[in-house]
Amino acid sequence: MTKTPAEQQIVKPSAENLAAAAKAAGRKGPPPVHLWNPPFCGDLDMEIRRDGTWFYLGTPIGRHGLVKLFSSIIRKDGDDYFLVTPVEKVGIRVVDAPFVAVDANATGKGQDQSITFVTNVEDEVTAGPDHPIRVARDPETGEPSPYVLVRANLEALIDRKTFYRLIDLGTHEKRDGESWFGLWSGGQFFPVIPSAELA
């Protein structure tokens, strides 16, 4: 059966095509994915696991440069994640957050403290009003999962070793009549856990 010209123009999304488009788009700084509105081209068998490992067709992507490239064109619309180029938009799966904060450095003290995070794809972001820290609690175990906003509704899960180091920088503050243990950064206090739960 012969394909119509329109059918012949539809290219099945592939990691190779996306990587080439991302490389071209990122030549002059971060790709402006928020400005692009290409047609949805279907889902790609790509997944970002909770530990930040990217999988394609069930196999880990071993090349850090390629992961970094893909991470530059990720976008979250609603609850769904996509890789976006000027000509195509494909769905991918994200188990938790698209990035992992693997290190943090603090400068200053108390309310003048600033905490700068580094992600697994080398984004650097200083927590503050534009990059808030939030902590989600597992409803069954109470286990905390801390996140920092990296860019346009894309968060990084703060890894355990980094989070435990940050706890040493924490302080207690009153919020809405309740004492909270949390972190100062960028002139803002981010509550982590009610003080009473640390007693």
Side-chain angles (χ1 to χ4, degrees):
M1 195 172 95
T2 57
K3 290 184 176 177
T4 67
E7 287 174 323
Q8 287 170 351
Q9 285 180 353
I10 295 173
V11 178
K12 193 162 171 54
S14 74
E16 293 75 19
N17 291 347
L18 284 163
K23 193 176 279 187
R27 286 206 179 104
K28 296 177 182 164
V33 293
H34 59 290
L35 299 178
W36 297 335
N37 194 20
F40 177 64
C41 300
D43 292 325
L44 199 62
D45 185 6
M46 193 175 278
E47 180 176 270
I48 307 174
R49 303 275 169 93
R50 185 176 162 89
D51 68 357
T53 305
W54 288 59
F55 280 74
Y56 179 55
L57 300 175
T59 303
I61 300 175
R63 287 173 46 209
H64 180 67
L66 195 55
V67 167
K68 200 171 163 184
L69 197 58
F70 286 137
S71 76
S72 72
I73 58 166
I74 193 167
R75 190 168 88 195
K76 186 180 183 187
D77 295 340
D79 292 327
D80 300 316
Y81 292 90
F82 302 91
L83 295 183
V84 183
T85 75
V87 295
E88 61 186 334
K89 174 180 176 180
V90 298
I92 64 168
R93 296 182 307 278
V94 177
V95 173
D96 190 341
F99 311 119
V100 176
V102 293
D103 199 6
N105 291 299
T107 57
K109 293 234 184 286
Q111 296 186 18
D112 297 323
Q113 180 172 266
S114 287
I115 302 170
T116 300
F117 293 91
V118 180
T119 72
N120 58 321
V121 289
E122 292 154 39
D123 283 316
E124 282 195 24
V125 62
T126 300
D130 295 333
H131 300 282
I133 296 169
R134 74 174 180 94
V135 179
R137 304 283 293 276
D138 184 297
E140 290 178 14
T141 66
E143 181 78 18
S145 290
Y147 302 88
V148 62
L149 184 67
V150 176
R151 58 177 187 255
N153 72 0
L154 297 173
E155 292 183 312
L157 174 67
I158 302 169
D159 74 7
R160 193 172 292 250
K161 69 174 179 358
T162 303
F163 187 53
Y164 283 143
R165 278 180 42 223
L166 292 177
I167 294 303
D168 293 337
L169 305 172
T171 183
H172 296 271
E173 299 281 346
K174 277 269 196 284
R175 283 293 177 272
D176 301 322
E178 189 180 2
S179 180
W180 279 81
F181 177 82
L183 297 161
W184 280 97
S185 183
Q188 189 164 332
F189 179 74
F190 298 102
V192 171
I193 190 171
S195 300
E197 293 188 28
L198 292 176

